[in-house]
Amino acid sequence: MSTPTSTQTQAIAQVEQWLASARGGQMELPQLMDAATKLQGAGLAAAAALLYQNWVANTPSPFRHVGCFNWGAILGDMGRHAEAEHAYRMALTMAPDFAQARLNLGHQVEHQGRTEEALALWRSVYDTPEAASLGAEPVPLLLHALNNAARLLEQLKRYDESEALMRRSLLLSPRQGDVAQHYVHIRQKQCAWPVYDTFGDVTHNHLLMSTSLLGMLDESDDPALQLLTAQRFVHEKVAKVTTPPLHQVHKRDGKIKIGYLSGDLCMHAVGLLTAELYELHDREKFEVHAFCWSREDGTPLRARIKGALDSLTPIGAMGDRQAAGLIAAAGIDVLVDLQGLTSGARPNILAHRPAPIQVSYLGLPATSALPGVDWILADRFVMPPEALPYHTEKPIYLPNCYQVSDRQRVANAAPTRAEAGLPEDGFVFCAFNNNHKMSEPVWRCWMRILRQVPGSVLWLLADNPFAKANLTRVAGEEGITPERLVFAPRALPADYLARFQLADLFLDTFPYNAGTTASDCLWMGTPILTRSGRTYISRMAGSLLTAVGLPDLITTTIREYEQRAVQIGNQPARAASYKRYLAEHGRSSPLFDIPATVRDIEREFERLALDARHKA
């Protein structure tokens, strides 16, 4: 056992002195706050919390509610949410209108899963602007309450309530970029058009400039806008790392080590596409590792992915710098980022450059503009020469298609049309992309297609009741009655795959094409009609159709897209011939030759990794 140093002994004595003073009721609030701040700065948050606890219990001060508030804040930061709740409730017993305590109490009960209580607490602040704010300006407190309630309501898919609170917040403070970003995307998810609905002092330009990259992929096929959106995010959110790359201090030899970085190695589109990729890597040449913050969802897919890796390292509880250091120490040659700038991304890990080769793949079918990512896996269809100036990454071209998928996906037996709520006769168009991908021009085009194909129906997903209501309303404006729209609920993967067999033609969205869904559609033998544009994401389905051998289902203008859909809809034999082709040749096409695609990826990774080792 080591003996405490004199400095440690002095520190212990100082803490004991502060605690004694707090127990004796002799400490003034400023002294208490100063002592607690010093303890927190020394990494002794538990001691700071204990100091407040003793002070509150023993000091008859008119500012005890402030002490309770500060005590609660420390406990909350430590993740001791039930204890923090107790401290905030004590503060409110002493000062019932204490707005800051209500706000923070809302966060503590949310952490404990009591969402309605959290919403009620925040509502009590934004609907009671005269609540005591202890010297703080009231508007920031109102914004805090409005924005957190809107955030939670969005998570609960109560989109209409969430949007209403975002509007109230933006009326109070129109230049809030994060709120404007969520406002745009929540309207996309509801198919509330126009998406850029201006009000008060909120301008179209501000909404456009606040749009997230995911939102911009839904909204615009302009590659310059997508690049600028990514660059804005990087400028505002990504750390400016000036220290040397972490990979430089670790020698790399032996087998080439591939590391996959993701929070989606579970029941998610990325997990569904990549399971077989990990299994097929050549273990004679490569080691396959994952650095992961995915949820443990208990699915067979999650178990399969974990079983296919040489190692899986959970990094959810680590800071970005710590995680990057661990990846560097593991000697990873090629780090494959499967997240990009999508929800849950951790771009600051990549900013530390833990691997000499860092590659973007699948999670973000667009440029991320991340300074730590130099390469992107692509093919010459999704990323033609004219697209290169709008990507900060250099392409690693695969010879057939950029996309891996899973040949082990299993479908249940197809239901009958009646069981699926479809008419026995008539042409069935389907569109199983997420609602946020549905733009107004494409939806109105689909309605024109239905008008020109008598007896046809459109079978689609209903992600939420607000989207369903808006889509039905706009359909009515185009002369399409509700019975010609068949909304399907979400389904388990095997049941979802089975549905494709009932459809005659899949109608793709634009500018955000189907990716995983297009692969599922073609795997199940259903043709997909797409429109290819100027961006990687608007060319995904076209890449798949090229690789499967159906390039005549690729169009380049909305007029051509509409005409082709009407032609096929009025010639069911043509749709049937596409289905026969896919049944006979689809799964044996280059699109689904996943072993060959994995070899192509490995060949490029080996070349880059060996070159980096040679230069090190």
Side-chain angles (χ1 to χ4, degrees):
M1 180 180 290
S2 61
T3 303
T5 64
S6 60
T7 302
Q8 290 172 327
T9 302
Q10 290 172 359
I12 293 168
Q14 177 66 79
V15 172
E16 289 176 346
Q17 180 183 336
W18 284 334
L19 285 170
S21 182
R23 290 190 196 104
Q26 302 302 311
M27 240 181 177
E28 297 294 332
L29 180 63
Q31 294 175 282
L32 170 68
M33 294 170 64
D34 181 62
T37 299
K38 288 176 179 175
L39 289 171
Q40 287 180 276
L44 300 172
L50 184 62
L51 184 63
Y52 272 112
Q53 180 180 357
N54 280 276
W55 187 87
V56 167
N58 295 286
T59 306
S61 167
F63 301 113
R64 283 177 68 227
H65 60 295
V66 178
C68 287
F69 177 86
N70 293 348
W71 179 27
I74 295 170
L75 291 168
D77 288 343
M78 295 169 66
R80 291 160 59 177
H81 302 302
E83 295 171 75
E85 177 187 353
H86 171 71
Y88 288 126
R89 290 198 185 280
M90 283 184 66
L92 288 168
T93 299
M94 302 169 196
D97 292 330
F98 188 2
Q100 291 96 322
R102 291 195 211 176
L103 292 173
N104 284 16
L105 177 58
H107 291 292
Q108 301 313 309
V109 298
E110 181 191 1
H111 280 302
Q112 296 175 74
R114 287 146 48 202
T115 54
E116 291 303 320
E117 283 187 55
L119 291 170
L121 283 159
W122 293 325
R123 188 182 309 116
S124 73
V125 174
Y126 65 69
D127 279 347
T128 315
E130 66 276 8
S133 56
L134 281 192
E137 288 294 322
V139 169
L141 302 182
L142 296 176
L143 295 176
H144 184 129
L146 288 164
N147 294 344
N148 279 282
R151 171 190 55 77
L152 183 52
L153 287 165
E154 183 176 7
Q155 292 174 7
L156 296 171
K157 296 193 173 183
R158 290 159 61 176
Y159 296 145
D160 57 340
E161 297 173 71
S162 178
E163 181 185 343
L165 293 186
M166 291 181 199
R167 292 176 75 98
R168 284 182 63 176
S169 178
L170 288 167
L171 284 169
L172 276 173
S173 178
R175 311 314 291 173
Q176 299 175 85
D178 286 347
V179 180
Q181 172 184 314
H182 281 271
Y183 172 76
V184 168
H185 197 45
I186 207 168
R187 289 184 63 79
Q188 289 174 325
K189 289 190 280 192
Q190 296 174 94
C191 301
W193 303 316
V195 167
Y196 295 130
D197 182 36
T198 61
F199 58 93
D201 292 329
V202 177
T203 64
H204 185 285
N205 179 264
H206 178 60
L207 293 176
L208 178 68
M209 296 306 294
S210 299
T211 302
S212 68
L213 183 55
L214 177 61
M216 194 60 75
L217 300 184
D218 286 330
E219 201 62 25
S220 173
D221 188 44
D222 186 336
L225 265 181
Q226 292 186 8
L227 173 60
L228 288 169
T229 302
Q231 288 176 322
R232 189 204 74 229
F233 177 90
V234 169
H235 175 72
E236 294 177 355
K237 306 289 187 181
V238 178
K240 311 297 188 289
V241 177
T242 57
T243 52
L246 292 181
H247 68 80
Q248 291 182 350
V249 299
H250 297 278
K251 181 175 174 57
R252 286 161 176 77
D253 51 25
K255 291 181 182 179
I256 292 168
K257 295 182 179 181
I258 303 172
Y260 290 96
L261 184 68
S262 181
D264 294 326
L265 301 184
C266 51
M267 187 55 69
H268 181 278
V270 168
L272 289 164
L273 283 177
T274 58
E276 196 171 9
L277 166 65
Y278 315 127
E279 294 168 342
L280 290 176
H281 273 306
D282 181 358
R283 291 325 203 264
E284 293 295 317
K285 291 184 176 181
F286 300 91
E287 290 181 14
V288 184
H289 305 267
F291 301 90
C292 173
W293 57 99
S294 308
R295 65 185 185 277
E296 293 291 347
D297 58 11
T299 61
L301 177 66
R302 173 69 172 162
R304 181 182 163 200
I305 291 171
K306 291 169 78 171
L309 299 162
D310 294 316
S311 76
L312 184 147
T313 305
I315 59 171
M318 297 182 189
D320 294 330
R321 173 63 176 78
Q322 181 187 4
L326 185 146
I327 294 167
I332 299 300
D333 291 279
V334 181
L335 184 62
V336 184
D337 176 34
L338 296 171
Q339 203 86 25
L341 301 182
T342 58
S343 178
R346 298 184 62 181
N348 288 329
I349 293 175
L350 295 149
H352 289 284
R353 292 186 177 265
I357 306 299
Q358 299 190 160
V359 183
S360 175
Y361 190 41
L362 288 180
L364 179 68
T367 186
S368 69
L370 290 172
V373 179
D374 300 314
W375 302 91
I376 185 170
L377 276 167
D379 59 57
R380 294 184 187 277
F381 188 93
V382 289
M383 206 167 162
E386 58 268 27
L388 299 186
Y390 303 102
H391 289 76
T392 59
E393 308 88 349
K394 297 184 288 289
I396 299 173
Y397 281 129
L398 302 181
N400 293 310
C401 179
Y402 77 96
Q403 189 192 79
V404 293
S405 60
D406 180 21
R407 297 170 302 160
Q408 297 182 38
R409 62 192 122 177
V410 177
N412 287 333
T416 65
R417 279 196 167 189
E419 288 170 338
L422 298 167
E424 292 296 340
D425 300 313
F427 196 90
V428 175
F429 295 102
C430 73
F432 292 150
N433 282 342
N434 289 323
N435 290 163
H436 67 78
K437 296 184 181 182
M438 294 179 181
S439 63
E440 183 175 9
V442 169
W443 181 255
R444 291 189 183 274
C445 173
W446 290 351
M447 297 305 99
R448 293 194 299 271
I449 292 167
L450 290 182
R451 280 207 312 264
Q452 295 170 79
V453 181
S456 63
V457 298
L458 177 60
W459 191 21
L460 67 159
L461 290 177
D463 279 339
N464 60 80
F466 316 106
K468 181 178 179 179
N470 284 325
L471 293 172
T472 303
R473 176 182 54 78
V474 177
E477 294 174 3
E478 294 289 339
I480 299 299
T481 53
E483 60 270 16
R484 297 187 67 185
L485 304 178
V486 181
F487 289 94
R490 291 279 176 181
L492 294 173
D495 293 323
Y496 150 78
L497 288 171
R499 287 174 175 171
F500 284 103
Q501 300 166 80
L502 301 182
D504 296 302
L505 180 67
F506 186 106
L507 296 177
D508 196 14
T509 43
F510 181 88
Y512 198 139
N513 278 184
T516 307
T517 307
S519 175
D520 290 334
C521 181
L522 294 169
W523 178 256
M524 294 307 300
T526 299
I528 177 169
L529 178 68
T530 193
R531 176 184 169 195
S532 293
R534 302 171 59 200
T535 54
Y536 191 125
I537 205 157
S538 70
R539 300 178 66 81
M540 293 192 300
S543 171
L544 273 64
L545 285 165
T546 300
V548 86
L550 291 176
D552 59 320
L553 288 172
I554 303 169
T555 65
T556 57
T557 67
I558 196 163
R559 183 175 181 182
E560 182 190 11
Y561 176 93
E562 180 180 334
Q563 290 173 340
R564 191 76 48 84
V566 171
Q567 289 169 357
I568 297 170
N570 285 322
Q571 300 172 24
R574 184 171 174 180
S577 71
Y578 290 133
K579 285 196 152 193
R580 280 194 302 273
Y581 171 82
L582 288 170
E584 294 169 6
H585 305 290
R587 294 190 182 184
S588 61
S589 71
L591 176 61
F592 295 118
D593 189 352
I594 307 306
T597 303
V598 175
R599 296 291 87 79
D600 293 335
I601 291 171
E602 289 179 339
R603 183 172 56 253
E604 296 300 319
F605 283 0
E606 182 179 30
R607 175 179 62 82
L608 292 169
L610 292 178
D611 184 55
R613 286 185 181 185
H614 176 72
K615 292 176 179 176

